Amino acid sequence: MLFAEKLHKRYGSTVALHALDLSVAPGELYALLGPNGAGKTTTINCFLGFLAPDGGRVTIDGLDVGQHPLETKQRLAYIPEQVNLYGHFSAAENLAYFAQLGGHHYAPAELRELLAAVGLQPEAHERRVSGFSKGMRQKVGIAIALAKRAKALLLDEPTSGLDPSASHEFSQLLARLRGQGVAILMATHDLFRAKEDATRVGIMRRGTLVRELSAGEIRGTDLERLYLEAMRA
């Protein structure tokens, strides 16, 4: 569903990505680890079409992102570290608006069902999101992904700043999306959530993927030790 082949990206003389090969299948959660500046966000921005690669190619559901910018975005949902919603809109209004941008129209009762499905309390459905916590905003973001019927979900530091309870709830929502066949690429510093939630883990350093681990390897290893070893290599 998500595929990058020999991906290169430079910012002036700085190499942000070097010959990156990466793929995420339907129903898979790929956790991309690495320090700031490793190339995680650049990778996500290439999938989103916000950045044009200097070499290689990026495809979503078999479509080249550069050649099919609209069609690939229709297959995606994106949740950044701070979910950007319209503060003067309610949760239901935000959901309706972003769903319509993706070509989907829902009745008010259907919007409430989507918001309830991601764990947003009924009394919050018609409240302005300007007063929402980060965890509540992320729930609206997941509801938007459900409403868009997205085939792929891109996450950039989604659990940063969440308390343990909200982080656990967020992980349960991701598991639900995986069960529906959504391919998830998550850039994160959260080693615990990566080990708990990911089906595969990739460790990046200076724009290069230096280590990949399968689900079995993740469960049976000290991920923190491997991460630190990769950073010192």
Side-chain angles (χ1 to χ4, degrees), residues 65-81:
V65 172
Q67 297 176 11
H68 302 278
L70 180 59
E71 294 92 334
T72 52
K73 286 182 176 64
Q74 289 173 338
R75 288 161 167 77
L76 283 178
Y78 170 52
I79 299 181
E81 184 174 354

Side-chain angles (χ1 to χ4, degrees), residues 28-203:
E28 186 173 26
L29 194 161
Y30 191 110
L32 199 55
L33 306 177
N36 293 332
K40 304 186 303 298
T41 297
T42 297
T43 301
I44 286 177
N45 284 336
C46 286
F47 276 110
L48 289 167
F50 294 166
L51 292 173
D54 297 316
R57 67 189 183 108
V58 184
T59 66
I60 297 170
D61 199 17
L63 297 175
D64 186 280
V65 172
Q67 297 176 11
H68 302 278
L70 180 59
E71 294 92 334
T72 52
K73 286 182 176 64
Q74 289 173 338
R75 288 161 167 77
L76 283 178
Y78 170 52
I79 299 181
E81 184 174 354
Q82 298 294 332
V83 178
N84 295 314
L85 301 170
Y86 289 98
H88 58 288
F89 283 2
S90 69
E93 288 169 336
N94 270 282
L95 178 56
Y97 176 73
F98 286 107
Q100 288 174 23
L101 287 181
H104 302 285
H105 299 269
Y106 294 91
E110 292 174 314
L111 296 172
R112 290 192 293 271
E113 288 177 4
L114 285 165
L115 292 169
V118 298
L120 192 68
Q121 296 300 315
E123 58 269 22
H125 294 181
E126 302 302 329
R127 278 173 45 198
R128 289 187 177 186
V129 302
S130 56
F132 278 19
S133 67
K134 179 177 179 179
M136 294 170 70
R137 285 173 171 267
Q138 286 184 324
K139 288 178 180 179
V140 178
I142 293 291
I144 292 169
L146 293 174
K148 287 184 65 178
R149 301 167 196 167
K151 293 186 175 183
L153 179 62
L154 303 177
L155 307 168
D156 197 354
E157 301 295 349
T159 58
S160 173
L162 291 183
D163 63 44
S165 176
S167 180
H168 177 68
E169 287 183 356
F170 188 72
S171 293
Q172 290 180 315
L173 293 175
L174 296 185
R176 175 183 173 181
L177 290 174
R178 279 189 52 226
Q180 295 176 356
V182 176
I184 303 173
L185 176 61
M186 178 174 69
T188 183
H189 291 298
D190 191 339
L191 297 181
F192 175 78
R193 289 266 64 99
K195 187 167 184 175
E196 289 294 307
D197 300 338
T199 57
R200 276 195 298 150
V201 165
I203 301 175

